[in-house]
Amino acid sequence: VQKVRFTVQVAEGAEPENFVVQVHPEWGARGAARFMELVESEYFTQCRFHRVVEGFMAQFGIAADPATYAKWGNAKILDDSVKSSNTRGRLSFAMRGLDTRTCQVFINFGDNSSLDGDGFAPFAEVIESMEVVDKLYAGYGDHPPGPSPERIKKEGNGYLQRDFPKLSYIVKAEVVQQDVAEIGR
């Protein structure tokens, strides 16, 4: 079993809080593997939850540094077939069509099973402290008026800190439990 603890800054000045995700390779092997690569490379450190839409989802995964994003943002992975549904607490990769998943992930706030038919394959789920995810800053909404994904990719966190300072962000994401077969590889 692979579990990842996210330490997040929900609001400036508040104490960081945690939520835990359990990764399910049996739901989406490619998505689960990419997600673990991103976690293990510390890719998500300082990533903002740049697209938080109340009742729908919270999206993250555009790296704080444009050079880091350039490496991962162009490294597409093949799709997984949908074996689980996009329901509350489940994580899926964002995509722009067939085989376009890279590094942006979203957490479902509610029943978004309507996304299943579009090929959004969950690969993990929040198993502890979903209430922390529910507190992520949603005041900016979707783009527009919320942050421009293209500008984040080019300008990184400088753009977000200047124009969208209230965004919640990931302090760190770390593996807290791994399958015994994975240890020692």
Side-chain angles (χ1 to χ4, degrees):
V1 175
Q2 296 174 312
K3 293 182 183 176
V4 175
R5 178 188 305 116
F6 282 84
T7 302
V8 297
Q9 188 71 45
V10 174
E12 231 18 78
E15 286 295 313
E17 298 185 60
N18 298 314
F19 65 90
V20 177
V21 167
Q22 182 170 334
V23 180
H24 289 276
E26 70 277 12
W27 291 353
R30 293 180 189 106
R34 171 54 63 87
F35 179 74
M36 293 306 295
E37 277 184 285
L38 293 166
V39 168
E40 289 163 1
S41 73
E42 300 180 0
Y43 176 85
F44 294 123
T45 301
Q46 297 297 310
C47 270
R48 272 36 185 181
F49 289 91
H50 68 274
R51 183 179 179 216
V52 180
V53 181
E54 287 186 48
F56 181 43
M57 59 84 194
Q59 188 168 326
F60 62 98
I62 301 178
D65 174 43
T68 303
Y69 176 78
K71 174 186 173 188
W72 291 97
N74 295 313
K76 296 175 183 170
I77 59 171
L78 297 175
D79 291 337
D80 287 307
S81 55
V82 178
K83 297 178 182 169
S84 181
S85 193
N86 283 279
T87 54
R88 181 168 168 75
R90 300 259 169 102
L91 283 74
S92 293
F93 274 90
M95 60 181 189
R96 298 174 309 279
L98 293 176
D99 301 326
T100 59
R101 300 181 302 165
T102 58
C103 53
Q104 291 189 59
V105 174
F106 63 90
I107 304 170
N108 290 287
F109 283 133
D111 181 359
N112 296 325
S113 54
S114 60
L115 298 174
D116 300 350
D118 293 329
F120 291 94
F123 61 86
E125 66 184 327
V126 177
I127 58 165
E128 289 177 29
S129 303
M130 183 64 188
E131 67 276 7
V132 173
V133 178
D134 289 332
K135 291 192 281 186
L136 297 173
Y137 187 76
Y140 299 123
D142 209 344
H143 172 71
S148 160
E150 294 311 312
R151 285 194 62 190
I152 305 168
K153 293 170 190 176
K154 290 182 181 113
E155 301 174 48
N157 277 356
Y159 159 64
L160 295 174
Q161 289 164 329
R162 183 180 62 252
D163 295 357
F164 300 95
K166 294 181 181 180
L167 289 177
S168 302
Y169 64 91
I170 298 165
V171 175
K172 65 180 174 181
E174 59 192 332
V175 177
V176 290
Q177 185 176 340
Q178 267 187 287
D179 197 301
V180 175
E182 291 292 319
I183 297 171
R185 275 198 198 171

